[in-house]
Amino acid sequence: MDRTVAPGFSQIGLAARRRLPGWPADPAPGSLSGRTAAVTGATSGLGYATAEGLARLGADVRLVVRDVHKGDRVKAELEAEVPGAQVLVDRCDVSDLDDVRRFVKDLDAERLDVLVHNAGAMPPTRTESPQGHELSMSLHVLGPLLMTELLRPVLGGHDARVVFVTSGGMYGQRLRADDPEFTSGEYSPTTAYARSKRAQVELLPVLADRWSGDGIGVHAMHPGWADTPGVVESLPRFHKLTGPVLRDADGGADTTVWLSAVDPQPPSGQLWHDRRARSTHLLGRTRTGATERTEIWDWARDQASIKATR
Ligand SMILES: NC(=O)c1ccc[n+]([C@@H]2O[C@H](COP(=O)([O-])OP(=O)(O)OC[C@H]3O[C@@H](n4cnc5c(N)ncnc54)[C@H](OP(=O)(O)O)[C@@H]3O)[C@@H](O)[C@H]2O)c1
């Protein structure tokens, strides 16, 4: 099942794995009390489910959203669902590197324990961020990298975790360090999206090494297929076809919440799905060499003005 996409990614896969011996235990109730978690793209789908799961474990939650009116509505919903939840709303368009810098500058936080890079989108046509970057790459890679780098002072020194919500769609694409912004060939939304998600996964070893000195762990998880507004909007035919077997948003967010709270924190730099570390490749043609990985890191660092030294 682990190597077959349809059953493994669906609700069936999650339900079956949960029943198997060795399914890791749920984090203890209250395991995040006294901790603060920030979740990007928390207005909808998996982001909302993640914020709720973290709040249920006792975390103070910061909803990082691009539309604060929506964010305020979600905060009220979350507070009604989880009595006593401590929730704040912060504005940030993660694809806009200037806005990421402004967000970090304005953030009034002394300490952050969990940072979930969940915000995601699949632009139907090739779209550019305010800085002229292809949008999927800016939203899924450049913005999150810059945000984490700038937040290192509040993340460092206390077993903090950074979780990238990637996609199983990356299994079909190899890293394109030679054309990270999809400037050549006919643009395809699913390919651009999957390439950016592949880049998230390929950068894991680099980031794990870079942030280890601060005691910050970095993890990626792929949620399988979950029924969310994003899937309805971006993949309507897929949604219609797979609707009955899609996971609910809580099922899609389960591993993110688990990685955020499990004690001890798992080793940094791995890809997870349904609470288990997974291979980052299922196909030989997607394998990445160290040179390409260094190239994509140098490119991303350069575009986001991240210093080369740790
Ligand atoms: N659902 C699945 O089956 C599935 C599978 C694989 C991976 N994923 C990944 O899971 C994550 C969540 O997806 P979802 O299915 O829950 O989708 P969703 O319902 O569309 O939620 C996406 C969230 O991202 C936010 N967002 C989009 N662009 C943003 C930006 N520039 N800055 C800040 N926030 C932004 C959206 O905010 P607005 O409300 O303002 O639009 C929304 O809160 C994504 O990274 C996606 O790639 C999902």
Side-chain angles (χ1 to χ4, degrees), residues 18 23-29 31 57 254 258 261-263 275:
R18 272 193 173 139
W23 175 257
D26 290 343
S31 51
L57 289 172
D254 174 82
W258 181 80
V262 66
D263 185 35
R275 302 190 186 187

Side-chain angles (χ1 to χ4, degrees), residues 228-239:
T228 64
V231 172
V232 175
E233 193 188 316
S234 301
L235 299 169
R237 277 173 49 202
F238 171 82
H239 181 260

Side-chain angles (χ1 to χ4, degrees), residues 40-47 64-67 70 92-96 117-121 139-140 165-168 193 197 223-231:
T40 69
T43 53
S44 170
L46 302 186
V64 183
V65 305
R66 57 181 170 172
D67 175 344
K70 232 175 174 177
C92 184
D93 180 334
V94 180
S95 70
D96 177 345
H117 291 303
N118 164 82
L139 175 57
H140 302 141
V165 179
T166 189
S167 165
Y193 170 87
K197 296 286 183 178
W225 296 333
D227 196 350
T228 64
V231 172

Side-chain angles (χ1 to χ4, degrees), residues 129-141:
S129 72
Q131 290 75 35
H133 296 297
E134 190 279 310
L135 197 90
S136 326
M137 203 49 112
S138 200
L139 175 57
H140 302 141
V141 177

